[in-house]
Amino acid sequence: MKPTLLKTFFALLCIGFSFKSIAQPVGFITSNFSNDTVCAGNSALLVGNGINGLVDIWQISFNNGANWSPISGTEGDTQYPVFQIPNNTCYRFIHNLNADTSAPYCITVDDSSNAGTITGGGPQCGVANGTLTVNAYNGVPTGWYSSTASPTGPFTSLSNTGTTQSFSVVTTTYFAYITQNGVCPADTTVNTVSITPYTNAGAITVNPTGGVCAPTNTSTLTVTGVVGTASPTQGWQSAAAATGPWSSLSTTTNTYTATNLTSTTYYHYIAQSGICPADTSLPVAVTVHQPPVGGTLSGGMLHCGPPPATGTLTLTGYSGTIGQWQFSTNGGASWSNASCIGTTTCGYSLSSPHTLYRVEVDNGSCPSTYSAIDSVNISANSVAGTLVHSEDTLCAYSFPGGTMSISGYVGNGFQWEVSTNGGLTWNPKPGSGPNSGYVNLASGTYMYHCIVQNNQCAPVVTNAVTVVVNTSPVVTILTNDTILDPGETITVVAIGTGTPSWSPAGSVSSPTSFTTDVTPYFATDYVITVSDGSDCIDTDTLHVYMGLAPFSGFIANTLTPNGDSINDAFFVENIEAYLTSRLEIFNEYGQPIYSASPYKNDWKGTYNGSRVPDGTYYYVLTIMDLNKEKKFKGFITILGGK
């Protein structure tokens, strides 16, 4: 029979019948606990023992059995599971048709251990001093503990069970407070005193350390020893002065590179460590040097006369620091240090003919520069020497004229001058050396001298020489150049001064008259010369050309150069009538051995002054015939026993 039907059956029996007294066992309860005290929130399985008949119901009491309440749903259950027991509770079961009651089973419940909360810790800067307080705990305190390893320990007891704990720490420390309530497990609460290291913005170093030179430069700034970090608004900042105002460079790395600075600039670094205040490094300067200016030297000189040359050089217009004075005696090919250093003036006493000076000027890290160069030169005094000339009397407009030269002079500059008024005034004339000349002068009296200067020493003047230029006679042929037939006569008229003379005189009727007849047979240049008895002459020329028929002259084909005056020279008939002619002779190999222009019937079978061997040779004769060039070619045989 099922338990439910059985319960119903017994209930009916109770209603329908009355029993006077039936003896039933009481029974008892056991559980899986080792003792009857447990920690709140635990669970248990209660087991009914000594049950007589069926369990009618389980009951619960929260006041140590003074009052009981049924636990619904437990009819017929021999066991009752209890979940998360909250506080002290008693249990019993009714059985045997409500006739018997088991002995109560009471469970004492301890509240869970609670170590509470600790106040007074938290983040601290650099070093932490204070007092921790624990609040709202229950149970029996085990005490305070600390650890520098982690929030989970290992912990070291501080031998203090009070509610407060003082502390003084320089590193992050974890403080724990432990309590235990009854049989409940101990509870731990932890508070962290976190130490943030003091902020340190570090120290900045600059490379290069000696500054840089404007305008092209690079400097590397490095900050070391930083404790903390830099936010975007912190990090590197720069300013024109050590006191600011400062501008952010938007760089937070430990290194900053500054480029192409034009003036000295200051830098610092700002960092912050956690909750600690921000820190700023000491400022450092990147010193920017401007390129030095060498300036100008003055005080150099040309010393004329014997050494020494003495004086003082002065440096002006420089910018920077004066360094070493230097001198050179080889035109600047090499330099030596002078005795002067760091001064604006430097004295000298020199024997070298040419000495250059310069001064080194520095400025910080910039490359050195030098001043403009000044010179000290020693020169012999100018000496005029003696002026002589080749001709003291000339004819007007004569060529080549005369020459002048100076001897015994000392100098390298020459200015020639001429005077036409007896030395009252002088005018420059061409010429730049110790020699000069005069040519094509009009009649008159000329005086010449030369100004001689050695380097830049005082110039001196030579003695003067005089040239007398006499008036020359003048002649002009009035008859124009003409063309005649051979043997034709023409009257030539000339006018002029002096005594006339014609040449060639052979075809002239009156060779010593200004007017005369000429009868040429060949093209002829007639020259009239007039003289005045003082070796001064003048000339004019008449050109007479022949009106020739086409060339048909005889050309020899045999040459016998044996000195008998017969066929000794290569003969071309009437060749002298042609002013333009050219004869070329070639040997049997085609090599030229003779050439003449114009040809004058004078080749006698020679080459380089020596007789050529007998044999046949080739000739080319070129003439201008009636304004046309004509060539005649042929062979000539040389016979002469060679």
Side-chain angles (χ1 to χ4, degrees):
M1 180 177 293
K2 293 184 177 180
T4 303
L5 295 177
L6 182 59
K7 291 179 182 179
T8 304
F9 171 73
F10 280 108
L12 292 174
L13 288 178
C14 292
I15 296 172
F17 302 94
S18 61
F19 297 89
K20 288 196 177 180
S21 64
I22 301 175
Q24 295 292 337
V26 173
F28 62 94
I29 299 172
T30 60
S31 74
N32 58 334
F33 290 134
S34 58
N35 57 59
D36 296 336
T37 300
V38 299
C39 187
N42 280 333
S43 298
L45 180 62
L46 304 180
V47 179
N49 296 279
I51 299 172
N52 190 9
L54 297 175
V55 173
D56 297 305
I57 196 164
W58 287 79
Q59 293 180 334
I60 185 170
S61 174
F62 297 105
N63 53 11
N64 200 28
N67 301 103
W68 293 89
S69 300
I71 302 172
S72 62
T74 59
E75 295 87 348
D77 293 336
T78 60
Q79 297 179 349
Y80 175 63
V82 181
F83 298 100
Q84 298 180 349
I85 304 169
N87 44 37
N88 294 340
T89 308
C90 293
Y91 296 90
R92 70 183 182 181
F93 60 88
I94 306 298
H95 58 109
N96 195 21
L97 298 176
N98 293 318
D100 293 322
T101 300
S102 69
Y105 181 84
C106 292
I107 300 174
T108 301
V109 177
D110 292 333
D111 290 333
S112 297
S113 301
N114 184 356
T117 57
I118 301 174
T119 59
Q124 305 287 331
C125 180
V127 62
N129 296 287
T131 301
L132 299 173
T133 301
V134 64
N135 302 284
Y137 72 91
N138 71 359
V140 178
T142 302
W144 292 90
Y145 297 82
S146 68
S147 172
T148 58
S150 75
T152 59
F155 285 99
T156 300
S157 174
L158 298 178
S159 301
N160 176 20
T161 59
T163 58
T164 61
Q165 174 66 49
S166 63
F167 62 88
S168 178
V169 295
V170 294
T171 59
T172 296
T173 303
Y174 306 95
F175 289 92
Y177 190 76
I178 302 175
T179 61
Q180 186 173 14
N181 189 34
V183 299
C184 290
D187 184 39
T188 302
T189 184
V190 177
N191 185 278
T192 302
V193 178
S194 58
I195 303 299
T196 299
Y198 287 119
T199 305
N200 187 345
I204 300 173
T205 57
V206 181
N207 184 35
T209 57
V212 294
C213 185
T216 303
N217 51 71
T218 299
S219 296
T220 301
L221 296 93
T222 303
V223 61
T224 57
V226 175
V227 178
T229 58
S231 69
T233 59
Q234 297 171 336
W236 292 97
Q237 295 183 340
S238 66
T243 56
W246 296 89
S247 299
S248 175
L249 298 174
S250 300
T251 301
T252 59
T253 59
N254 287 354
T255 300
Y256 177 75
T257 301
T259 59
N260 300 333
L261 298 177
T262 58
S263 61
T264 296
T265 304
Y266 292 83
Y267 296 88
H268 67 202
Y269 190 82
I270 301 176
Q272 184 171 11
S273 177
I275 64 171
C276 295
D279 184 37
T280 302
S281 70
L282 292 175
V284 297
V286 176
T287 303
V288 178
H289 302 110
Q290 302 303 318
V293 176
T296 303
L297 278 180
S298 60
M301 64 181 299
L302 171 64
H303 173 79
C304 295
T310 59
T312 300
L313 294 165
T314 301
L315 177 65
T316 58
Y318 70 94
S319 176
T321 302
I322 299 175
Q324 179 69 57
W325 288 70
Q326 295 182 333
F327 68 91
S328 172
T329 57
N330 56 11
S334 60
W335 294 84
S336 301
N337 290 337
S339 59
C340 304
I341 301 176
T343 59
T344 57
T345 60
C346 188
Y348 59 85
S349 179
L350 302 172
S351 298
S352 175
H354 304 290
T355 304
L356 302 178
Y357 277 89
R358 69 181 185 183
V359 185
E360 180 186 29
V361 180
D362 307 310
N363 192 24
S365 59
C366 293
S368 299
T369 190
Y370 290 93
S371 67
I373 293 174
D374 200 2
S375 62
V376 178
N377 299 296
I378 300 176
S379 172
N381 285 314
S382 305
V383 176
T386 302
L387 173 62
V388 297
H389 63 315
S390 62
E391 304 291 339
D392 55 8
T393 302
L394 291 174
C395 298
Y397 306 108
S398 61
F399 187 87
T403 60
M404 297 180 290
S405 62
I406 307 171
S407 61
Y409 66 88
V410 176
N412 48 27
F414 303 88
Q415 175 61 63
W416 290 88
E417 292 184 330
V418 59
S419 174
T420 58
N421 57 10
L424 294 178
T425 59
W426 295 85
N427 297 305
K429 73 173 295 292
S432 58
N435 301 302
S436 188
Y438 41 91
V439 67
N440 201 32
L441 298 175
S443 60
T445 299
Y446 297 82
M447 295 181 68
Y448 295 95
H449 70 204
C450 186
I451 302 172
V452 180
Q453 185 174 23
N454 192 33
N455 297 314
Q456 296 178 357
C457 295
V460 292
V461 183
T462 67
N463 58 293
V465 295
T466 301
V467 178
V468 177
V469 180
N470 296 315
T471 301
S472 296
V474 179
V475 65
T476 302
I477 298 174
L478 301 179
T479 303
N480 294 327
D481 296 342
T482 187
I483 299 175
L484 301 177
D485 292 332
E488 184 179 357
T489 300
I490 186 176
T491 299
V492 180
V493 179
I495 59 173
T497 60
T499 303
S501 173
W502 290 90
S503 65
S507 57
V508 179
S509 62
S510 300
T512 59
S513 300
F514 282 102
T515 301
T516 185
D517 293 336
V518 296
T519 307
Y521 287 88
F522 309 102
T524 304
D525 290 338
Y526 290 97
V527 179
I528 184 171
T529 302
V530 292
S531 63
D532 62 358
S534 62
D535 296 329
C536 294
I537 64 172
D538 190 24
T539 63
D540 199 3
T541 301
L542 173 68
H543 301 286
V544 178
Y545 302 96
M546 292 292 101
L548 300 176
F551 176 78
S552 59
F554 168 77
I555 299 176
N557 59 11
T558 303
L559 182 63
T560 58
N562 54 12
D564 61 359
S565 300
I566 302 174
N567 294 330
D568 280 345
F570 182 70
F571 178 74
V572 179
E573 185 179 12
N574 293 330
I575 190 65
E576 65 273 13
Y578 298 89
L579 298 180
T580 302
S581 64
R582 183 173 70 253
L583 177 66
E584 297 173 283
I585 306 294
F586 301 89
N587 62 19
E588 59 181 318
Y589 303 108
Q591 297 170 329
I593 63 172
Y594 177 77
S595 177
S597 179
Y599 182 59
K600 300 179 180 181
N601 284 337
D602 54 358
W603 184 59
K604 296 183 178 182
T606 60
Y607 175 68
N608 288 338
S610 301
R611 269 284 313 279
V612 298
D614 292 350
T616 300
Y617 294 82
Y618 180 72
Y619 70 83
V620 177
L621 175 65
T622 304
I623 63 173
M624 286 298 295
D625 187 9
L626 299 179
N627 295 324
K628 292 184 179 180
E629 185 178 86
K630 290 186 177 182
K631 292 184 180 292
F632 299 88
K633 302 177 182 179
F635 296 93
I636 182 169
T637 301
I638 297 179
L639 301 172
K642 184 175 179 180

